[in-house]
Amino acid sequence: MALLPILHYPDERLHTVATPIAEVDDGVRQLAADMAETMYEAPGIGLAATQVNAHRQLIVIDISEAHDQLITLINPRIVVASEERAVYEEGCLSVPGIFDEVERAARVTVEALDLQGRIQRIEAEGLLSVCIQHEMDHLKGIVFVEYLSRLKRSRIAAKLRKQQQQKVL
Ligand code: NI
């Protein structure tokens, strides 16, 4: 197991579109294990492979307090999204210290492969629904701040660039 470095907005690599995983092999399982360790350590409730500069369709999520309900989604696709929308104040490990409201489908049903390459189907609402949609956006190269106004986005980018420069000192 290893901790992986997380890319921070406005890093251009966060806008890479992830490719589907053709075979769920030991390499994929190792990446998923490293991503889970990285997510728990951060700490966060979700991490997409894009955020650790691995541009494959792989997501780990655990919204439980006890960190004992890990979900791994490989090649996820949303098969049902509710008409009803919900607003949630989101944050992101790639946008540290920034939280803002994003509107998404209130409920989604997602199909994905698990770590054994079997199809799993998850019906999600509330925080899990938000998290799945947020992480799936990462695989498309979308960071949640892109739903905010241009002004907010440029302020966030400036703030994060400054934070990143300060870390170097
Ligand atoms: Ni994120």
Side-chain angles (χ1 to χ4, degrees):
M1 302 260 278
L3 291 177
L4 305 169
I6 297 174
L7 300 179
H8 285 167
Y9 187 81
D11 193 311
E12 280 299 313
R13 291 171 291 180
L14 286 168
H15 303 306
T16 311
V17 177
T19 54
I21 289 173
E23 190 190 349
V24 182
D25 57 16
D26 286 344
V28 171
R29 282 184 280 270
Q30 183 63 56
L31 176 58
D34 290 345
M35 283 171 55
E37 188 184 3
T38 303
M39 172 184 74
Y40 288 132
E41 173 71 20
I45 59 168
L47 188 68
T50 310
Q51 295 175 273
V52 294
N53 202 30
H55 302 287
R56 313 178 73 185
Q57 292 182 12
L58 173 60
I59 288 168
V60 292
I61 291 174
D62 190 342
I63 62 166
S64 72
E65 292 283 338
H67 292 179
D68 60 357
Q69 287 170 46
L70 180 64
I71 298 169
T72 304
L73 302 176
I74 297 166
N75 302 341
R77 63 188 185 97
I78 288 173
V79 291
V80 185
S82 66
E83 296 266 330
E84 188 193 334
R85 310 282 285 175
V87 174
Y88 192 86
E89 188 171 62
E90 298 187 16
C92 178
L93 292 176
S94 291
V95 197
I98 306 293
F99 297 87
D100 216 320
E101 290 185 337
V102 177
E103 184 186 304
R104 300 184 186 272
R107 292 174 304 281
V108 292
T109 300
V110 63
E111 277 187 3
L113 299 179
D114 66 13
L115 286 172
Q116 278 70 49
R118 297 173 302 215
I119 293 175
Q120 57 182 331
R121 188 181 174 99
I122 296 171
E123 290 178 23
E125 60 180 3
L127 181 56
L128 183 58
S129 169
V130 171
C131 195
I132 287 171
Q133 293 175 78
H134 174 117
E135 304 309 333
M136 286 184 69
D137 271 354
H138 277 301
L139 300 183
K140 294 177 224 155
I142 299 168
V143 181
F144 85 97
V145 295
E146 283 160 75
Y147 295 116
L148 308 178
S149 70
R150 184 185 291 259
L151 178 64
K152 272 190 181 174
R153 210 164 55 230
S154 66
R155 280 186 185 151
I156 290 167
K159 187 177 173 186
L160 289 176
R161 278 201 194 92
K162 196 175 167 200
Q163 279 177 9
Q164 285 157 30
Q165 283 160 1
Q166 283 168 333
K167 268 186 214 157
V168 176
L169 299 175

